[in-house]
Amino acid sequence: MRIENSFIPVRGVGETTERRLWQQGITHWDEFDGSVVGDTLADRIESFIDEGRTHLERGDISVFTEALPASSRWRCYENVSEETCFLDIETTGLDATRNDVTTVSIHRGGETKTFVKDRDLTGRRLERELEASSLLVTFNGQRFDVPFLETCYDIDVTTPHVDLMYPCKKIDLDGGLKAIERDLGIERDRPDLSGRDAVRLWHEYERGDESALETLVEYNRADTRNMKPLMEIVADRLHETVFEAECPTE
């Protein structure tokens, strides 16, 4: 499913109206016929489509992620999948005012980068990585990763953001990232670790154990890499249940 299949970002169009449009065969902006809704709403939809095309030509999807509910922002992924940045952080605790970010991993375009505290992890590096991305994908990042980075590095994360936790809930995938991975058969190369293990490993590294940092980095990188197949599975399932189920069959 692409942004061009969506009408709910329009003011006055809820999920019920959008489903009615799809059921009548209006499954793409190109197929919109103003006669199927009232004049006022038709004008809004036509204006949204015109402006939306301009935003897409610029590669800017922020207007759509701002207008879509958190559980529906997955619809933007297919448009910018190659420019999507998957991000995960490790910290020394849960309070950004008292604890530190230890590692940040970013996976984009088949490449994973990891930045480490007191080595190459800086606010400017993070800003450059995010500025190079059309979409940011995290798991629970809306409540944790993003506010933590903004507090610790005095940055403003404005990259359009999909927090996978919300679309996962829409298809009854509950629990943490690793529990959902197990449910879906997404495998890891190394034994699973916890957030508590991540704190322990960092402190062991601070005491001189370089191998502890290597383990922590690989753990962080696995969290980040595994979000890509999760994003694709979730988007495929929601495409089927939200979109295809409502489209008329020939």
Side-chain angles (χ1 to χ4, degrees):
M1 187 173 181
R2 298 174 64 85
I3 293 171
E4 298 95 323
N5 304 120
S6 297
F7 297 93
I8 56 171
V10 181
R11 182 168 58 89
V13 176
E15 292 184 357
T16 300
T17 300
E18 184 180 64
R19 282 196 300 269
R20 183 158 52 86
L21 290 170
W22 290 341
Q23 289 163 359
Q24 293 179 359
I26 302 170
T27 61
H28 191 281
W29 294 352
D30 291 344
E31 299 162 341
F32 179 68
D33 178 354
S35 66
V36 300
V37 294
D39 291 344
T40 300
L41 189 53
D43 288 344
R44 281 189 204 147
I45 293 174
E46 287 169 352
S47 295
F48 163 76
I49 291 172
D50 289 342
E51 293 170 7
R53 292 191 195 284
T54 301
H55 285 292
L56 289 181
E57 286 170 4
R58 295 173 181 161
D60 177 17
I61 62 168
S62 59
V63 67
F64 308 109
T65 53
E66 289 168 5
L68 286 165
S71 62
S72 297
R73 291 174 187 164
W74 61 273
R75 299 180 183 203
C76 300
Y77 175 65
E78 187 175 337
N79 289 75
V80 292
S81 59
E82 293 303 313
E83 298 82 42
T84 294
C85 158
F86 298 87
L87 177 145
D88 185 69
I89 72 174
E90 302 302 335
T91 69
T92 58
L94 302 177
D95 186 345
T97 64
R98 295 188 297 117
N99 300 121
D100 297 318
V101 180
T102 56
T103 62
V104 177
S105 285
I106 290 171
H107 182 79
R108 182 180 58 236
E111 179 185 5
T112 307
K113 299 178 182 178
T114 302
F115 304 110
V116 178
K117 180 179 179 292
D118 298 329
R119 290 191 177 184
D120 54 3
L121 177 51
T122 65
R124 187 66 196 117
R125 288 295 293 269
L126 294 173
E127 285 178 328
R128 283 202 299 268
E129 292 295 334
L130 292 169
E131 287 167 2
S133 306
S134 297
L135 182 68
L136 169 66
V137 175
T138 66
F139 190 93
N140 196 31
Q142 189 169 309
R143 297 189 303 183
F144 185 73
D145 302 64
V146 168
F148 221 107
L149 291 175
E150 289 181 328
T151 298
C152 290
Y153 290 95
D154 193 26
I155 62 175
D156 185 16
V157 177
T158 59
T159 307
H161 183 191
V162 174
D163 185 334
L164 269 170
M165 186 172 69
Y166 298 102
C168 279
K169 289 181 182 296
K170 202 163 186 173
I171 51 175
D172 299 321
L173 290 171
D174 291 316
L177 176 61
K178 296 166 199 63
I180 291 173
E181 287 176 9
R182 288 193 294 270
D183 289 343
L184 296 176
I186 299 174
E187 297 181 352
R188 290 181 176 239
D189 295 333
R190 301 184 62 142
D192 186 20
L193 298 172
S194 67
R196 185 173 296 179
D197 291 321
V199 175
R200 173 183 57 78
L201 288 166
W202 179 257
H203 291 318
E204 289 176 1
Y205 159 68
E206 287 185 312
R207 291 192 293 268
D209 186 351
E210 287 288 335
S211 67
L213 179 61
E214 292 175 9
T215 302
L216 175 62
V217 166
E218 185 50 42
Y219 166 65
N220 186 207
R221 291 168 71 86
D223 276 358
T224 309
R225 286 193 302 263
N226 281 9
M227 272 189 266
K228 184 176 184 351
L230 175 58
M231 177 80 243
E232 292 172 351
I233 290 170
V234 169
D236 284 346
R237 288 194 182 181
L238 284 166
H239 174 81
E240 293 173 3
T241 59
V242 171
F243 182 61
E244 283 191 353
E246 301 296 339
C247 294
T249 57
E250 296 183 3

